[in-house]
Amino acid sequence: MEDCYAMFIDGACMVERIINIPDGVEIAVNEREILVKGPKGEIRKNFDYPRYNKVVSISRSVNAVKVSSESDKRKIKAIVGTFSRHISNMILGVTKGFRCTMKVYYSHFPISVSVKGNEVHIKNFIGEKGARVANIVGSVSVNVGKDEIIVSGTDVESVGQTAANIEQACALSRRDRRIFQDGIFISEKSLEAK
């Protein structure tokens, strides 16, 4: 999906990465903003970083997106790789989608989890009377089973951040984790089923 080239033009090194666009995916590049549309939805991301705007360029050809730079500095090469990986993840998200499976563990007090609007409410965690709340980021769907929570969506960052918010909502302080092992933990990260 992604090709990397380092070319020498007039003695200067030029780094570029080419991301091929699969069938059924539309990509629009408007200066530093990229819109990717596919069968599962659309993702819009802004790559406006003032420090690197003049050094790193993003352009679109007929069936590929090119991220390139004329600098051979290590930090610039890293930014080119980061931008190209973000675009590849956007393409994967609108074609296949991302899924994060979480397990609910408890030993004494049964934890109940529910979704209300853009929040996940975790009740009876270690016998607490109040509910712990985790925010759902972006357009991510959260499905709650008995002892399993499935977080899925098209944006890998939103799916990962929502799963991390749920995991952090069950963080314990001033307790020994070897004894109090209750919580909600990420058990698997994968692409969604076809």
Side-chain angles (χ1 to χ4, degrees), residues 107-108 126 171-182 185:
S107 57
H108 299 95
I126 309 185
L172 288 173
S173 60
R174 299 185 186 145
R175 294 186 195 259
D176 191 355
R177 287 302 289 179
R178 294 171 293 180
I179 298 169
F180 296 95
Q181 296 178 358
D182 298 13
F185 303 101

Side-chain angles (χ1 to χ4, degrees), residues 24-152:
V25 175
E26 297 176 20
I27 296 182
V29 178
N30 183 11
E31 292 183 15
R32 309 300 289 178
E33 188 172 58
I34 296 179
L35 174 68
V36 180
K37 291 182 183 178
K40 291 208 172 254
E42 68 178 46
I43 302 173
R44 181 182 306 269
K45 193 173 290 275
N46 192 353
F47 292 94
D48 186 26
Y49 294 97
R51 187 173 186 176
Y52 302 110
N53 281 350
K54 294 180 181 176
V55 183
V56 178
S57 65
I58 301 171
S59 60
R60 183 178 186 316
S61 63
V62 177
N63 58 357
V65 176
K66 181 173 78 170
V67 182
S68 62
S69 174
E70 293 182 7
S71 175
D72 63 342
K73 292 183 179 178
R74 190 172 57 176
K75 286 186 180 181
I76 304 301
K77 289 179 186 177
I79 291 295
V80 168
T82 300
F83 284 1
S84 63
R85 194 63 223 168
H86 277 298
I87 296 168
S88 296
N89 282 339
M90 291 167 71
I91 293 171
L92 268 176
V94 297
T95 55
K96 296 181 180 177
F98 295 98
R99 170 189 293 233
C100 190
T101 306
M102 305 182 80
K103 297 285 185 181
V104 180
Y105 294 104
Y106 55 86
S107 57
H108 299 95
F109 300 100
I111 299 171
S112 64
V113 181
S114 62
V115 177
K116 294 180 183 174
N118 284 337
E119 295 178 337
V120 176
H121 291 260
I122 303 154
K123 295 179 183 172
N124 202 27
F125 179 69
I126 309 185
E128 294 177 343
K129 294 188 185 288
R132 293 189 176 205
V133 178
N135 292 327
I136 297 174
V137 179
S139 61
V140 173
S141 68
V142 178
N143 298 322
V144 179
K146 185 177 182 229
D147 288 335
E148 187 175 74
I149 300 171
I150 296 175
V151 181
S152 59

Side-chain angles (χ1 to χ4, degrees), residues 9 124 171 186:
I9 300 172
N124 202 27
I186 298 171

